[in-house]
Amino acid sequence: MFDFLAALNNFNSLEKAVPQSFGMNVQDLDKRMRQYVQQVNQEAFFQVKIPPVPDPKVPRGRAMSEAESLELLAEAMLAAGTYPERLGELIDAAYRKAPDSPKVLGLRMQLAVRDRDDAALGRLLTESEPRQTDIAVARAVGLALFERVREAKAGDTLSAADRERMSRKAFELLDRAVMSKPDDIEAIWGYAMLAARLKQDLATALKRVDSGLMIADYNADLAMAAALIYEAQGEQKKMIPFLVVTARMTAEPKTRAWALDRVNEVLAAQAAPVPAATPAAKN
């Protein structure tokens, strides 16, 4: 079993790890395990006495407003990418019901980000400025701006100056959001990723990521942020465990490939021989 776990730890597939550790393929191992379970004396299961389990206590339900229902549905659609052609219609409906809602503002900005409509994003950013003293508004705007600058795609028209300006604005807003709610995992992630990019307040960002990982253990996004912070600090060796967690826990193939490539690059750099010092010239 330990050989099997070690093989998985070295990123071997099940098809390779199982024969190496158990001397049979996956199908045969599954069959053997099923046969073992079936051979167990069934009477033993009926000898286990389970005390009555009390009914779980759940909070009293409440009726959701139509605006809240629309917000929740739009958030789910945006995250899952379902019915993308209907998302704008849904967000417009939510805006008509709750025009001052921070969540609706965030959804409108996220829609502009998705569509790369920088004119609409800039207009919403300007409109939101008088309201940014509200932490919920600051969080919504900060996350939307972070999403816009997080990854440059082919054909992206955002200028380097605008990307820098949005990054710093998002960093400022998310800093306030995390200070207000230190267990806000999404805000911590955005703040830490921006800290690594801007090479600003890295020690604070790392402490916040550590706190986030105490809440959301093995979170791929937080692990990636930690790795990038260590890279920004010039401590590449410390990146490795966080890159491994990122590779294991992410659901995105592109992110997994990136993390594994960075592990190999760091290991190769660590193994590279140190160039010999050039002797000083004699006068």
Side-chain angles (χ1 to χ4, degrees), residues 126-244:
T126 301
E127 291 174 2
S128 72
E129 286 179 357
R131 302 172 55 198
Q132 289 174 13
T133 53
D134 182 337
I135 291 299
V137 171
R139 180 186 188 275
V141 174
L143 288 173
L145 293 178
F146 164 62
E147 190 63 30
R148 180 64 183 92
V149 302
R150 182 164 70 97
E151 184 179 5
K153 297 181 180 179
D156 197 336
T157 59
L158 191 67
S159 68
D162 284 342
R163 188 176 298 277
E164 177 76 7
R165 178 177 59 83
M166 286 186 181
S167 295
R168 294 197 175 278
K169 184 65 175 179
F171 184 71
E172 171 201 336
L173 295 173
L174 292 177
D175 180 34
R176 289 171 46 207
V178 177
M179 283 193 292
S180 175
K181 193 172 186 295
D183 60 350
D184 186 338
I185 300 300
E186 189 176 10
I188 291 172
W189 170 58
Y191 171 84
M193 293 287 284
L194 289 164
R197 170 175 291 179
L198 298 170
K199 292 184 171 57
Q200 184 174 338
D201 296 341
L202 296 174
T204 299
L206 194 57
K207 288 180 181 178
R208 289 176 172 179
V209 169
D210 287 342
S211 298
L213 287 170
M214 294 291 290
I215 302 167
D217 199 11
Y218 293 103
N219 180 285
D221 291 329
L222 289 179
M224 174 192 283
L228 292 174
I229 291 170
Y230 279 122
E231 183 175 39
Q233 290 179 329
E235 299 182 88
Q236 289 195 337
K237 189 174 182 179
K238 293 183 179 180
M239 296 172 65
I240 293 178
F242 296 100
L243 290 169
V244 170

Side-chain angles (χ1 to χ4, degrees), residues 110-129:
Q110 291 283 0
L111 181 63
V113 170
R114 188 201 69 174
D115 295 341
R116 291 296 188 260
D117 187 348
D118 291 330
L121 182 62
R123 184 174 63 255
L124 290 168
L125 176 59
T126 301
E127 291 174 2
S128 72
E129 286 179 357

